[in-house]
Amino acid sequence: MVRVISFTFLFIFIGDNCYGTEGAAFLTLTPGARAIGLGQCFVAIADDPSACYFNPAGLAFINQAQILSMNLSPPPGVSKATLWGLTELSHPLFCQKIHSPLDPKWGTEEFYGRYMYWSGAFPFKCKQAIGFSIDYFKTGPIHAYGNIFYPYDCALSISYGRKIVDNLSFGVTAKYIYEFLWPQWLSDSLDVSYSGSSYSFAFDGGLLFKSGIGFSIGASLSNLGPPIKVVETEGVLPLTARIGLVQSITEFFAATSSNENNFIKKLNQSFHFLFTIERKIDLAGESRIHKTSCGFEAKIFDLLSYRQGFRLTKQEYLLWDDPKSISLDLKIAEFDITITNSNYYAGCWWIQSKFKPLENKPEFLKKNKALDRIFLNLSCLAIPGGGQLYNGDKWRALPYLIASFFVADVILESHNKPSWQDEAYNTVVMTLPILYILSGVQANLALGGNNGK
């Protein structure tokens, strides 16, 4: 019971430090390593699947299918090795004394918290897109009456974005929220009438305007829904409003310069710089705390990026202050590493992977079949479904990607759940090489068929 009470206080603590909400406090945890690196200023950018959280209107401007995960690393392969190399690079860059694991968590092995986020964006027809996302926050283990359980909270969301005109879009999100504090057998053992779980639902909405000179403005309203019951009280959902501005400096100069200015064109091709500012307003909760932040992103050769965010209000936020971020964009895969509270000994790490199909191959690959085949097989080794992404076949890649992340998470969780060390666990682990083989064979056959045409 002491651990249950401790967990309840942990939840209240997180809620009080995440803008004073009373119920479903995990919804105030911000997904997206890139967004966190920009000081959580993303409502006016919203150009990846995390738009499902920040501003669903951004989905309408996404022109290719994408899958994103944060704090849930890919399975063993080239992608995970690349991600590991990037964390090793960010360790001295951010001057941290402790290396981050690829699946970051807070606390110790005896009692820890872990936040994961998964989302996907899928455009269809003209000017429309649909998105799916999962927010998942877990703590534990909790020991009670000789048993162990893991409290968790999750939100399952479906989003829709549509362009009203070419430069203006709107979006909506519907989400189901579930909180699990303790199992029913614990309530029975303690002889209490209230349940250790609760659920609710909520809706988000947003608008996004993107001009032709690199300027964008976005606004959203999140978590509009009925209260969620926590123990014997009802907790208000963290109703939040955001409004933000973005200006891409290089796009502005490219759009306003004369067509004969080759220097500006070349600069825009090799360097990109944007600045963003956002106001976040807490509309519910006992202590309403508002926040203004800004951030910048610099990207060179469409490959390497550096980001940094700044807090413009006086309140301190234990999880989000002083963000710094780097990323590597390999076209079919993009990896983002962000650290917050970098002034502390270890800081808080946020690690993100994003995968998308390669729609247009470079000319040197189209002309050289042997090199094309080499890159295909490297993509196959990157992650199950990587070969399909290399071939631009997003729908065949999707089941491989989802299954591989599930398998990777089961392998990771086995270290905290000895009961997984049984025949069922071994069966799940054996599916990983099978996924690599099946996806690799199918991708090579598909490439051979395309070359034969």
Side-chain angles (χ1 to χ4, degrees):
M1 183 62 183
V2 174
R3 289 294 186 90
V4 174
I5 295 173
S6 299
F7 171 72
T8 304
F9 277 110
L10 174 65
F11 229 65
I12 294 172
F13 172 78
I14 292 174
D16 286 341
N17 285 279
C18 292
Y19 325 121
T21 59
E22 295 178 345
F26 76 102
L27 292 176
T28 62
L29 295 173
T30 305
R34 181 184 177 209
I36 295 172
L38 287 166
Q40 303 178 71
C41 303
F42 210 65
V43 69
I45 301 176
D47 59 358
D48 65 29
S50 64
C52 297
Y53 177 90
F54 289 95
N55 188 354
L59 294 171
F61 289 95
I62 295 176
N63 55 19
Q64 62 179 153
Q66 303 178 20
I67 289 180
L68 178 150
S69 68
M70 187 183 78
N71 294 356
L72 178 60
S73 69
V78 174
S79 286
K80 191 154 191 171
T82 305
L83 195 55
W84 175 83
L86 196 59
T87 58
E88 291 298 300
L89 173 64
S90 60
H91 162 69
L93 181 64
F94 297 147
C95 302
Q96 295 304 294
K97 299 185 181 297
I98 295 180
H99 289 246
S100 169
L102 295 183
D103 304 271
K105 59 185 180 183
W106 310 307
T108 64
E109 290 294 332
E110 290 74 23
F111 191 83
Y112 69 92
R114 184 172 175 222
Y115 174 62
M116 296 177 287
Y117 180 77
W118 183 94
S119 61
F122 306 94
F124 68 97
K125 291 186 177 180
C126 181
K127 303 178 181 179
Q128 301 178 70
I130 192 169
F132 302 92
S133 66
I134 301 173
D135 292 80
Y136 184 79
F137 177 68
K138 182 179 73 171
T139 61
I142 305 295
H143 300 265
Y145 295 97
N147 295 311
I148 300 175
F149 63 92
Y150 292 78
Y152 68 90
D153 308 276
C154 69
L156 309 177
S157 305
I158 181 170
S159 305
Y160 172 76
R162 182 187 179 94
K163 287 185 180 180
I164 303 172
V165 294
D166 286 341
N167 295 332
L168 179 66
S169 67
F170 76 95
V172 293
T173 295
K175 65 181 72 171
Y176 171 78
I177 305 163
Y178 181 77
E179 292 190 321
F180 173 79
L181 297 181
W182 60 78
Q184 184 59 41
W185 59 259
L186 185 57
S187 295
D188 297 338
S189 300
L190 297 172
D191 194 25
V192 294
S193 59
Y194 47 82
S195 172
S197 62
S198 56
Y199 65 90
S200 185
F201 62 89
F203 297 93
D204 304 343
L207 292 169
L208 182 60
F209 171 78
K210 293 192 174 186
S211 71
I213 58 172
F215 173 78
S216 301
I217 180 171
S220 69
L221 182 67
S222 303
N223 305 316
L224 179 63
I228 186 169
K229 192 170 184 180
V230 181
V231 190
E232 292 185 304
T233 61
E234 287 190 340
V236 193
L237 295 182
L239 184 64
T240 305
R242 292 180 175 88
I243 182 167
L245 305 173
V246 174
Q247 178 63 64
S248 170
I249 307 301
T250 46
E251 286 185 25
F252 174 79
F253 283 115
T256 56
S257 63
S258 63
N259 294 330
E260 298 177 355
N261 196 331
N262 292 325
F263 173 76
I264 294 296
K265 289 182 179 179
K266 290 180 180 179
L267 179 64
N268 196 40
Q269 291 173 357
S270 58
F271 180 75
H272 185 76
F273 183 89
L274 65 80
F275 175 82
T276 178
I277 186 169
E278 182 172 314
R279 175 70 168 172
K280 184 177 181 180
I281 306 169
D282 178 21
L283 299 175
E286 294 179 349
S287 55
R288 300 184 180 181
I289 301 175
H290 311 319
K291 177 183 178 182
T292 303
S293 305
C294 66
F296 71 86
E297 177 182 68
K299 190 171 187 178
I300 59 171
F301 305 119
D302 204 24
L303 179 67
L304 294 170
S305 300
Y306 177 81
R307 310 178 190 97
Q308 191 161 348
F310 305 90
R311 170 171 47 89
L312 301 180
T313 45
K314 294 182 179 180
Q315 295 90 351
E316 293 186 2
Y317 302 91
L318 298 179
L319 291 178
W320 317 117
D321 274 354
D322 194 27
K324 298 179 179 66
S325 176
I326 60 172
S327 75
L328 176 66
D329 188 354
L330 301 176
K331 303 312 173 190
I332 69 167
E334 183 177 349
F335 305 108
D336 296 81
I337 310 292
T338 297
I339 183 171
T340 54
N341 287 314
S342 57
N343 291 329
Y344 288 87
Y345 182 77
C348 297
W349 293 75
W350 314 86
I351 299 178
Q352 173 181 299
S353 309
K354 184 172 70 175
F355 297 92
K356 55 188 176 181
L358 183 65
E359 295 187 334
N360 296 307
K361 292 182 182 179
E363 286 297 323
F364 73 92
L365 289 178
K366 294 179 180 178
K367 295 177 180 179
N368 192 321
K369 293 183 180 180
L371 198 58
D372 192 17
R373 183 74 68 176
I374 291 172
F375 273 84
L376 170 69
N377 285 284
L378 285 174
S379 300
C380 292
L381 293 173
I383 190 172
Q388 284 74 17
L389 292 176
Y390 180 82
N391 289 333
D393 192 349
K394 55 182 178 291
W395 298 117
R396 287 184 178 175
L398 190 61
Y400 290 115
L401 288 171
I402 294 175
S404 66
F405 273 102
F406 169 76
V407 171
D409 190 51
V410 169
I411 296 172
L412 176 72
E413 291 301 307
S414 68
H415 299 296
N416 299 312
K417 295 182 179 180
S419 60
W420 277 104
Q421 304 294 337
D422 52 21
E423 186 176 345
Y425 165 71
N426 293 330
T427 301
V428 172
V429 172
M430 284 302 297
T431 60
L432 186 58
I434 294 173
L435 287 172
Y436 271 107
I437 293 171
L438 289 178
S439 64
V441 169
Q442 194 279 325
N444 275 276
L445 289 175
L447 183 66
N450 292 335
N451 289 339
K453 290 183 179 180

